[in-house]
Amino acid sequence: MAAREASTAADKLFSLSGLFAVYKPKGRTSAGVLGLLKDRLLAEAGVQTNKNKRKQVLKIGHGGTLDSAAEGVLVVGIGKGTKMLGTMLSGSKKYTAIGMLGKATDTLDATGKVTEEKPYDQVTRGDLENVLQKFTGHIMQVPPLYSALKKNGERLSTLMKRGEAVEAKPARPVRVYSLSLQQFQPPLFTLDVECGGGFYVRSLVSDIGKELCTCATMQELTRTKQGPFTLEEHALHEDRWTIDEIARSLEHCTSLLPREPSHKKLKTEHPGETAVICEDK
């Protein structure tokens, strides 16, 4: 009976196909969350591993890296859904970010070493709101050195941590659909951002500080929406990472997606697994 139930669970797991969303907590990498999700599902289905090579291949991937210090929506593709992840990379995303005036770090967020401190008492709410207008629309942005962007096949962040000299990538075009100030309690300020693919909120906060003749670093970041998937409605928390819950989520999320999704071929990092890296955040 147990073997039959395991076989049924495995059949259901490998029949799953589409896009859904999970909640990525602070302190975990996007790849780590994806790996944990995959292991949970395989264990529930009773699929054994053999020398780290699974007898059956479960195709699963995510639609855009979220920094380990950040939290929020992580879109996941399973089965044929992995071919739809390209639309998540280029699509719009929404974030809530908390920045701190007066301090700059090497990573542009709270995880890095402080590299500069400047006074910020002169900055008013009006100053901050006026500056935001310069960062709305089609703009040019220099990506941070600590990022998922690669040089000779290695992430810039990995090279930086090894102490190797890394040149800043040239500024590139990005798009900000909307940008608003939600709170201002110096030195902290809270922003709501809607942007396109390849945008770094860390760089935005840093650039805002420079425009205000001080410096700034990002303290917290939450991705509240990616494509049609929202944090409140669609992101499954870890206690709901089961085959049945994901099947229900896939069914619910089908109506959110276009009927003819882009079938862009994505790079595979592991055999049988589509892992997608996006230079966001």
Side-chain angles (χ1 to χ4, degrees), residues 100-116:
M100 174 183 281
L101 295 170
K103 286 187 178 182
T105 67
D106 53 359
T107 60
L108 308 187
D109 64 15
T111 67
K113 296 179 181 178
V114 176
T115 57
E116 187 178 22

Side-chain angles (χ1 to χ4, degrees), residues 12 18 28 93 104 114 121 161 185-186 198 237 239 252:
K12 185 171 184 178
R28 289 184 183 173
K93 305 168 184 68
V114 176
D121 296 346
K161 289 174 183 177
Q185 296 178 317
H237 285 251
D239 60 348
H252 173 66

Side-chain angles (χ1 to χ4, degrees), residues 37-255:
L37 171 64
K38 189 172 186 177
D39 288 342
R40 285 276 185 87
L41 296 176
L42 289 169
E44 182 187 349
V47 178
Q48 301 298 317
T49 60
N50 182 19
K51 294 182 179 180
N52 295 324
K53 292 184 179 180
R54 298 182 174 95
K55 294 180 180 180
Q56 290 177 279
V57 174
L58 178 64
K59 291 185 178 181
I60 191 169
H62 67 73
T65 297
L66 193 56
D67 285 346
S68 59
E71 63 180 328
V73 177
L74 186 67
V75 175
V76 176
I78 190 168
K80 293 181 179 179
T82 55
K83 297 179 180 180
M84 303 164 65
L85 289 170
T87 59
M88 294 298 104
L89 288 169
S90 57
S92 69
K93 305 168 184 68
K94 289 185 178 181
Y95 299 90
T96 296
I98 299 177
M100 174 183 281
L101 295 170
K103 286 187 178 182
T105 67
D106 53 359
T107 60
L108 308 187
D109 64 15
T111 67
K113 296 179 181 178
V114 176
T115 57
E116 187 178 22
E117 294 189 52
K118 284 186 175 182
Y120 58 86
D121 296 346
Q122 74 280 6
V123 179
T124 67
R125 184 185 183 98
D127 293 334
L128 191 47
E129 289 177 331
N130 288 334
V131 162
L132 296 187
Q133 298 177 20
K134 297 182 179 180
F135 296 98
T136 304
H138 293 277
I139 64 172
M140 299 296 290
Q141 185 185 68
V142 177
L145 291 175
Y146 281 87
S147 70
L149 294 178
K150 294 184 178 181
K151 177 184 178 182
N152 299 326
E154 284 197 87
R155 288 189 177 194
L156 296 184
S157 56
T158 302
L159 298 175
M160 290 288 291
K161 289 174 183 177
R162 286 209 303 258
E164 297 186 22
V166 176
E167 292 184 4
K169 291 281 186 178
R172 58 186 188 172
V174 292
R175 187 172 184 182
V176 179
Y177 297 99
S178 64
L179 177 59
S180 60
L181 178 65
Q182 299 303 308
Q183 288 188 339
F184 182 55
Q185 296 178 317
L188 301 178
F189 60 96
T190 302
L191 303 173
D192 277 353
V193 187
E194 182 177 5
C195 57
F199 184 83
Y200 283 89
V201 182
R202 283 182 286 147
S203 293
L204 169 68
V205 171
S206 176
D207 291 342
I208 287 172
K210 293 173 184 176
E211 282 289 331
L212 292 168
C213 298
T214 180
C215 52
T217 188
M218 190 176 72
Q219 295 297 296
E220 295 183 22
L221 181 66
T222 303
R223 183 191 278 164
T224 58
K225 187 176 182 182
Q226 183 175 6
F229 300 96
T230 66
L231 181 58
E232 291 185 358
E233 289 186 59
H234 308 113
L236 298 177
H237 285 251
E238 195 172 329
D239 60 348
R240 296 177 63 192
W241 291 0
T242 66
I243 296 171
D244 286 342
E245 284 281 4
I246 289 173
R248 281 192 286 270
S249 184
L250 287 169
E251 185 176 356
H252 173 66
C253 293
T254 298
S255 61

